[in-house]
Amino acid sequence: MDVVIVGGHGQIARKLGALLAQRGDTARGVIRNPAHGDELRADGIDPVVVDLEDEHTTGESLAGAFRGASAAVFAAGSGPGQPAERKWSVDHGGVVKTIDACRHAGIDRLVIVSAIGIDGDITGDDVYAEYQRAKAQADADVRASGLHYTIVRPAMLTDEDPHGRVHAARHVERGPIPRADVAATLLAVLDDPSTVGRTFEVVGGPDEIVAAVAGLNALPDTVDAVSSEG
Protein backbone atom coordinates (compact mmCIF):
# COMPACT_ATOMS: atom_id res chain seq x y z
CA MET A 1 0.00 0.00 0.00
CA ASP A 2 0.86 3.65 -0.36
CA VAL A 3 -0.88 5.50 2.47
CA VAL A 4 -0.97 9.24 3.06
CA ILE A 5 -1.49 10.15 6.73
CA VAL A 6 -2.83 13.63 7.48
CA GLY A 7 -1.55 14.88 10.82
CA GLY A 8 1.58 12.84 10.25
CA HIS A 9 3.50 14.02 13.32
CA GLY A 10 0.84 12.89 15.79
CA GLN A 11 1.58 9.91 18.00
CA ILE A 12 -0.97 7.58 16.42
CA ALA A 13 0.02 8.72 12.93
CA ARG A 14 3.71 8.07 13.52
CA LYS A 15 3.02 4.64 14.97
CA LEU A 16 0.82 3.76 11.98
CA GLY A 17 3.42 5.06 9.55
CA ALA A 18 6.13 3.01 11.24
CA LEU A 19 3.99 -0.15 11.06
CA LEU A 20 3.44 0.42 7.35
CA ALA A 21 7.12 1.08 6.71
CA GLN A 22 8.22 -1.97 8.71
CA ARG A 23 6.31 -4.30 6.44
CA GLY A 24 7.44 -2.61 3.23
CA ASP A 25 4.49 -0.33 2.49
CA THR A 26 4.88 3.36 1.71
CA ALA A 27 3.74 5.93 4.26
CA ARG A 28 3.56 9.67 3.64
CA GLY A 29 2.99 12.02 6.54
CA VAL A 30 1.35 15.41 5.97
CA ILE A 31 2.85 17.81 8.52
CA ARG A 32 2.67 21.53 9.15
CA ASN A 33 6.12 22.06 10.65
CA PRO A 34 9.07 21.19 8.38
CA ALA A 35 11.24 20.78 11.47
CA HIS A 36 9.38 17.52 12.17
CA GLY A 37 10.51 15.99 8.90
CA ASP A 38 13.58 14.25 10.28
CA GLU A 39 11.53 12.52 12.97
CA LEU A 40 9.19 11.10 10.34
CA ARG A 41 12.07 9.98 8.15
CA ALA A 42 13.53 8.13 11.15
CA ASP A 43 10.22 6.23 11.35
CA GLY A 44 10.38 5.38 7.65
CA ILE A 45 7.71 7.94 6.73
CA ASP A 46 8.04 10.38 3.82
CA PRO A 47 7.17 13.88 5.12
CA VAL A 48 5.04 16.26 3.06
CA VAL A 49 4.76 19.82 4.40
CA VAL A 50 1.27 21.34 4.08
CA ASP A 51 -0.51 23.59 6.59
CA LEU A 52 -4.14 22.44 6.73
CA GLU A 53 -5.21 25.64 8.44
CA ASP A 54 -3.64 27.96 5.90
CA GLU A 55 -6.38 29.85 4.11
CA HIS A 56 -4.61 29.13 0.82
CA THR A 57 -4.70 25.36 1.38
CA THR A 58 -7.62 23.84 -0.48
CA GLY A 59 -8.57 20.28 -1.22
CA GLU A 60 -7.27 20.79 -4.73
CA SER A 61 -3.86 22.06 -3.56
CA LEU A 62 -3.65 19.36 -0.89
CA ALA A 63 -4.25 16.73 -3.57
CA GLY A 64 -0.64 17.08 -4.69
CA ALA A 65 0.40 15.29 -1.50
CA PHE A 66 -2.16 12.56 -2.12
CA ARG A 67 -1.63 11.63 -5.77
CA GLY A 68 -0.59 8.05 -6.34
CA ALA A 69 -1.62 6.90 -2.87
CA SER A 70 -3.97 3.96 -2.45
CA ALA A 71 -5.58 5.24 0.75
CA ALA A 72 -5.71 8.26 3.04
CA VAL A 73 -5.87 8.31 6.84
CA PHE A 74 -6.97 11.44 8.71
CA ALA A 75 -5.27 11.46 12.11
CA ALA A 76 -4.88 15.20 12.69
CA GLY A 77 -6.27 17.00 15.71
CA SER A 78 -6.11 20.40 17.34
CA GLY A 79 -5.04 18.85 20.64
CA PRO A 80 -5.94 19.67 24.24
CA GLY A 81 -5.80 23.24 25.44
CA GLN A 82 -6.64 24.70 22.05
CA PRO A 83 -9.53 27.16 21.51
CA ALA A 84 -12.87 26.11 20.07
CA GLU A 85 -12.07 27.76 16.73
CA ARG A 86 -9.29 25.24 16.11
CA LYS A 87 -11.66 22.35 16.76
CA TRP A 88 -13.54 23.50 13.69
CA SER A 89 -10.53 24.51 11.59
CA VAL A 90 -8.60 21.27 12.22
CA ASP A 91 -10.89 18.50 13.49
CA HIS A 92 -13.67 19.40 11.07
CA GLY A 93 -12.13 21.68 8.44
CA GLY A 94 -9.15 19.37 7.98
CA VAL A 95 -11.50 16.47 7.23
CA VAL A 96 -13.40 18.55 4.67
CA LYS A 97 -10.14 19.40 2.88
CA THR A 98 -9.02 15.77 3.07
CA ILE A 99 -12.25 14.57 1.46
CA ASP A 100 -11.82 17.10 -1.33
CA ALA A 101 -8.16 16.17 -1.79
CA CYS A 102 -9.11 12.50 -2.12
CA ARG A 103 -11.57 13.38 -4.87
CA HIS A 104 -9.04 15.51 -6.76
CA ALA A 105 -6.34 12.85 -6.39
CA GLY A 106 -8.56 9.94 -7.39
CA ILE A 107 -8.39 8.19 -4.00
CA ASP A 108 -11.56 6.46 -2.89
CA ARG A 109 -10.36 4.88 0.40
CA LEU A 110 -10.47 7.08 3.52
CA VAL A 111 -10.02 6.10 7.15
CA ILE A 112 -10.46 8.70 9.86
CA VAL A 113 -9.67 8.77 13.56
CA SER A 114 -12.73 10.16 15.29
CA ALA A 115 -13.78 10.08 18.96
CA ILE A 116 -15.97 7.95 21.18
CA GLY A 117 -19.33 9.19 22.43
CA ILE A 118 -20.34 11.70 19.76
CA ASP A 119 -23.60 10.10 18.64
CA GLY A 120 -26.83 11.83 19.57
CA ASP A 121 -27.35 15.25 21.10
CA ILE A 122 -24.27 17.08 22.34
CA THR A 123 -24.97 19.61 25.07
CA GLY A 124 -22.85 22.32 26.62
CA ASP A 125 -21.02 25.37 25.33
CA ASP A 126 -17.49 24.62 26.53
CA VAL A 127 -14.51 23.78 24.32
CA TYR A 128 -14.96 20.03 24.76
CA ALA A 129 -18.55 20.22 23.56
CA GLU A 130 -17.37 22.17 20.51
CA TYR A 131 -14.76 19.48 19.91
CA GLN A 132 -17.47 16.82 20.02
CA ARG A 133 -19.69 18.79 17.64
CA ALA A 134 -16.80 19.34 15.23
CA LYS A 135 -15.97 15.63 15.28
CA ALA A 136 -19.60 14.65 14.80
CA GLN A 137 -19.97 16.97 11.82
CA ALA A 138 -16.73 15.66 10.34
CA ASP A 139 -18.03 12.09 10.62
CA ALA A 140 -21.30 13.08 8.95
CA ASP A 141 -19.38 14.73 6.11
CA VAL A 142 -17.30 11.59 5.64
CA ARG A 143 -20.40 9.40 5.48
CA ALA A 144 -21.93 11.71 2.89
CA SER A 145 -18.72 11.91 0.83
CA GLY A 146 -19.31 8.91 -1.39
CA LEU A 147 -15.82 7.63 -0.54
CA HIS A 148 -15.06 4.13 0.72
CA TYR A 149 -14.71 5.24 4.32
CA THR A 150 -14.18 3.74 7.75
CA ILE A 151 -14.60 5.84 10.90
CA VAL A 152 -12.63 4.62 13.91
CA ARG A 153 -13.61 6.04 17.30
CA PRO A 154 -11.06 5.17 20.00
CA ALA A 155 -11.77 5.51 23.69
CA MET A 156 -9.36 6.94 26.30
CA LEU A 157 -5.89 7.12 24.75
CA THR A 158 -2.84 6.10 26.77
CA ASP A 159 0.90 5.88 26.14
CA GLU A 160 1.17 2.31 27.43
CA ASP A 161 3.00 -0.33 25.45
CA PRO A 162 0.71 -2.09 22.99
CA HIS A 163 -1.40 -4.94 24.32
CA GLY A 164 -2.34 -6.23 20.87
CA ARG A 165 -5.92 -6.86 22.00
CA VAL A 166 -9.05 -4.70 21.77
CA HIS A 167 -12.82 -4.70 21.89
CA ALA A 168 -14.36 -3.21 18.74
CA ALA A 169 -18.10 -2.67 18.23
CA ARG A 170 -20.61 -0.05 17.22
CA HIS A 171 -20.62 1.11 20.83
CA VAL A 172 -18.29 0.12 23.68
CA GLU A 173 -17.93 1.00 27.33
CA ARG A 174 -15.36 3.75 27.88
CA GLY A 175 -11.93 2.63 28.96
CA PRO A 176 -8.25 2.94 28.09
CA ILE A 177 -6.56 1.93 24.86
CA PRO A 178 -2.87 2.43 24.03
CA ARG A 179 -2.20 4.68 21.05
CA ALA A 180 -0.09 1.88 19.60
CA ASP A 181 -3.16 -0.39 19.57
CA VAL A 182 -5.18 2.30 17.81
CA ALA A 183 -2.47 2.47 15.15
CA ALA A 184 -2.56 -1.31 14.76
CA THR A 185 -6.35 -1.14 14.47
CA LEU A 186 -6.05 1.42 11.67
CA LEU A 187 -3.63 -0.90 9.87
CA ALA A 188 -6.06 -3.79 10.21
CA VAL A 189 -8.85 -1.59 8.85
CA LEU A 190 -6.76 -0.64 5.82
CA ASP A 191 -6.12 -4.34 5.19
CA ASP A 192 -9.77 -5.42 5.52
CA PRO A 193 -12.22 -4.34 2.77
CA SER A 194 -15.17 -5.47 4.89
CA THR A 195 -14.67 -2.38 7.08
CA VAL A 196 -15.72 -0.03 4.27
CA GLY A 197 -18.83 1.92 5.26
CA ARG A 198 -18.48 1.20 8.97
CA THR A 199 -18.26 3.38 12.04
CA PHE A 200 -17.07 1.69 15.22
CA GLU A 201 -15.66 2.38 18.66
CA VAL A 202 -12.60 0.63 20.00
CA VAL A 203 -11.17 0.14 23.48
CA GLY A 204 -8.71 -2.22 25.11
CA GLY A 205 -10.21 -5.67 25.28
CA PRO A 206 -9.83 -9.43 24.88
CA ASP A 207 -9.65 -9.89 21.11
CA GLU A 208 -6.61 -9.92 18.85
CA ILE A 209 -6.78 -6.78 16.73
CA VAL A 210 -7.05 -8.36 13.28
CA ALA A 211 -9.76 -10.74 14.53
CA ALA A 212 -11.63 -7.92 16.28
CA VAL A 213 -11.70 -5.83 13.10
CA ALA A 214 -12.72 -8.81 10.95
CA GLY A 215 -15.45 -9.61 13.46
CA LEU A 216 -17.15 -6.27 12.87
CA ASN A 217 -18.62 -7.75 9.71
CA ALA A 218 -20.69 -10.18 11.78
CA LEU A 219 -22.10 -7.63 14.22
CA PRO A 220 -25.36 -6.00 13.10
CA ASP A 221 -24.92 -3.04 15.47
CA THR A 222 -21.80 -1.95 13.57
CA VAL A 223 -23.59 -1.22 10.30
CA ASP A 224 -24.20 2.45 9.46
CA ALA A 225 -27.89 2.20 8.73
CA VAL A 226 -28.54 5.88 8.09
CA SER A 227 -26.25 8.49 6.58
CA SER A 228 -27.58 11.26 8.83
CA GLU A 229 -26.42 9.57 12.04
CA GLY A 230 -24.21 11.74 14.27
Side-chain angles (χ1 to χ4, degrees):
M1 285 188 289
D2 183 341
V3 180
V4 56
I5 308 170
V6 181
H9 190 251
Q11 294 184 63
I12 292 172
R14 288 183 62 186
K15 293 178 188 300
L16 172 60
L19 289 173
L20 287 162
Q22 286 163 14
R23 69 179 200 179
D25 293 320
T26 298
R28 316 177 197 178
V30 177
I31 56 176
R32 179 176 61 177
N33 187 348
H36 293 153
D38 286 345
E39 294 178 71
L40 266 64
R41 292 185 191 96
D43 294 331
I45 305 168
D46 299 327
V48 183
V49 180
V50 181
D51 186 352
L52 283 180
E53 292 182 274
D54 190 305
E55 62 181 8
H56 300 296
T57 299
T58 65
E60 186 173 4
S61 65
L62 182 59
F66 283 44
R67 286 194 175 89
S70 49
V73 175
F74 184 89
S78 54
Q82 297 296 310
E85 291 80 5
R86 294 204 70 216
K87 308 306 177 184
W88 287 99
S89 62
V90 178
D91 296 273
H92 173 253
V95 169
V96 171
K97 291 179 180 180
T98 297
I99 291 169
D100 200 26
C102 285
R103 290 173 176 153
H104 281 287
I107 298 171
D108 65 0
R109 185 70 171 111
L110 174 62
V111 178
I112 76 165
V113 181
S114 182
I116 192 172
I118 58 173
D119 286 335
D121 293 333
I122 298 169
T123 60
D125 57 4
D126 59 359
V127 172
Y128 183 65
E130 285 302 301
Y131 164 77
Q132 290 181 302
R133 280 189 278 269
K135 281 289 192 183
Q137 185 58 56
D139 288 5
D141 290 345
V142 168
R143 282 191 289 266
S145 69
L147 299 175
H148 293 169
Y149 72 85
T150 308
I151 299 170
V152 181
R153 294 172 166 176
M156 300 162 55
L157 300 172
T158 75
D159 293 323
E160 292 182 8
D161 290 337
H163 300 163
R165 294 180 177 273
V166 299
H167 173 51
R170 186 65 186 85
H171 295 291
V172 302
E173 293 294 326
R174 290 178 182 269
I177 180 170
R179 287 176 171 85
D181 284 339
V182 177
T185 299
L186 296 173
L187 183 66
V189 164
L190 288 166
D191 285 342
D192 190 339
S194 75
T195 62
V196 169
R198 296 192 178 277
T199 300
F200 68 92
E201 298 175 348
V202 63
V203 68
D207 302 320
E208 292 186 357
I209 290 171
V210 171
V213 168
L216 291 166
N217 193 43
L219 298 175
D221 67 339
T222 63
V223 177
D224 282 346
V226 292
S227 62
S228 61
E229 174 192 342

